[in-house]
Amino acid sequence: GYTRAEIDYFWGTNKSITAEAHKAVAFDAFTLPQFKQTRYIVNHTEAVTSSGKYVRLYVEVLLVRNIGFYSMNIVIPSMLIVTISWVSFWLNREASPARVGLEVTTVLTMTTVITTTNNSMPKVSYIKGLDVFLNFCFVMVFASLVEYAVVSYMNKRIVLKRQKRQKAQEQQQRQERPMFASPAKPNNNVDAFYMGAHHALARHQLMEIPPDCDFRTIPLQQHPRLTAEPSSPLWPAPFGRAKKATRTCSNITPAKIDKCSRYLFPLLFGGFNVLYWTILTVLSSMSESTTMEGWYDIDKTG
């Protein structure tokens, strides 16, 4: 409330000796549950307003978070949640309720952990180191869910192709008919059968059996298929070769994706942890070893 012309504040007993200003502050033996006090600095500043100049004294204390609380309540549970999401890689691909339920549960659990942690942390605009770790854990469990979605889609496509192939084979077998009429029938020119709702009588002309032909050795009549040869793409061939699958389709299968995921996800998460904790350790050691001018250790003040 008083300008500098009226009252001049300073640290210590002598205004001219600024090197001993830190001795005016002393810390008692106290502990904090989540923080460890390391350094402090005493300083003063001058505020200029329309009414005059004012001297302001302030003390800054450097605190370091205790990692024990965060490792036991946030880091280790997050690692276990990510590890649990890998169990789905060993489950059967047909067990959709089990795999989807496991993956969705891990995703929701990681979301709850991130929300709870952010509510207890200070609301800052920059990205904290713990945010990087939790967000990467969330990406890992979400990637496990996406992996099963891909596996399930590919497995469904394979089943549909197999059913379509079997259906085509069954239809082709139904369309086969004898080339010659049976000699047991009195009339070799008429083959009657019922069709439709009205059971209309249809007639199909059949060839007569040659006298020197054994009809039991004659194969069934087959519809010709187009050859795959580039020289004659429209020439009918009864036994054309089937088109081979491409190398990409033959190599990538749902079973191989699950097998690769069993090794890829742990290696990726392990590599991230090694890189993450190495960087944090180096940054922490650099911060502690840096000599900041005007800062003093709390444990040396007595």
Side-chain angles (χ1 to χ4, degrees), residues 169-182 191 206-207 214-225 238-239:
Q169 293 177 358
E170 292 176 357
Q171 292 179 354
Q172 184 177 359
Q173 291 177 0
R174 295 194 197 101
Q175 294 175 359
E176 294 177 352
R177 56 189 178 89
M179 295 177 62
F180 304 102
S182 176
D191 180 23
L206 298 178
M207 299 173 59
D214 186 5
F215 71 94
R216 292 175 298 177
T217 62
I218 301 300
L220 298 178
Q221 181 180 359
Q222 299 181 356
H223 295 280
R225 291 174 291 181
F239 304 101

Side-chain angles (χ1 to χ4, degrees), residues 55-184:
V55 177
R56 297 176 181 177
L57 305 180
Y58 63 92
V59 180
E60 294 183 16
V61 180
L62 182 62
L63 302 177
V64 177
R65 297 182 185 274
N66 293 326
I67 195 175
F69 170 80
Y70 298 96
S71 61
M72 294 299 297
N73 295 275
I74 298 177
V75 176
I76 295 179
S78 300
M79 290 182 176
L80 294 178
I81 293 171
V82 174
T83 306
I84 291 173
S85 66
W86 300 339
V87 178
S88 64
F89 300 149
W90 278 266
L91 297 179
N92 188 7
R93 295 188 299 274
E94 304 297 335
S96 298
R99 295 190 65 167
V100 173
L102 178 62
E103 298 297 344
V104 172
T105 302
T106 54
V107 170
L108 295 178
T109 306
M110 277 305 308
T111 304
T112 304
V113 172
I114 294 174
T115 303
T116 306
T117 304
N118 290 332
N119 291 336
S120 61
M121 298 290 286
K123 306 299 185 295
V124 294
S125 59
Y126 54 86
I127 299 177
K128 302 181 290 295
L130 193 60
D131 294 336
V132 176
F133 179 81
L134 293 179
N135 290 330
F136 188 82
C137 291
F138 180 81
V139 170
M140 290 295 297
V141 296
F142 184 77
S144 301
L145 179 60
V146 174
E147 186 270 346
Y148 176 67
V150 174
V151 168
S152 179
Y153 176 76
M154 293 184 63
N155 193 34
K156 183 178 179 181
R157 289 287 300 274
I158 293 175
V159 172
L160 291 177
K161 288 182 179 179
R162 187 183 301 115
Q163 293 177 354
K164 186 177 180 181
R165 192 182 308 111
Q166 293 177 356
K167 186 177 180 180
Q169 293 177 358
E170 292 176 357
Q171 292 179 354
Q172 184 177 359
Q173 291 177 0
R174 295 194 197 101
Q175 294 175 359
E176 294 177 352
R177 56 189 178 89
M179 295 177 62
F180 304 102
S182 176

Side-chain angles (χ1 to χ4, degrees), residues 198-247:
H198 301 286
H199 302 283
L201 184 63
R203 300 173 183 271
H204 292 272
Q205 189 72 20
L206 298 178
M207 299 173 59
E208 295 183 356
I209 301 177
D212 58 344
C213 176
D214 186 5
F215 71 94
R216 292 175 298 177
T217 62
I218 301 300
L220 298 178
Q221 181 180 359
Q222 299 181 356
H223 295 280
R225 291 174 291 181
L226 298 180
T227 59
E229 300 296 333
S231 59
S232 57
L234 300 179
W235 187 262
F239 304 101
R241 292 179 297 178
K243 185 178 180 181
K244 295 182 179 180
T246 59
R247 181 174 298 180

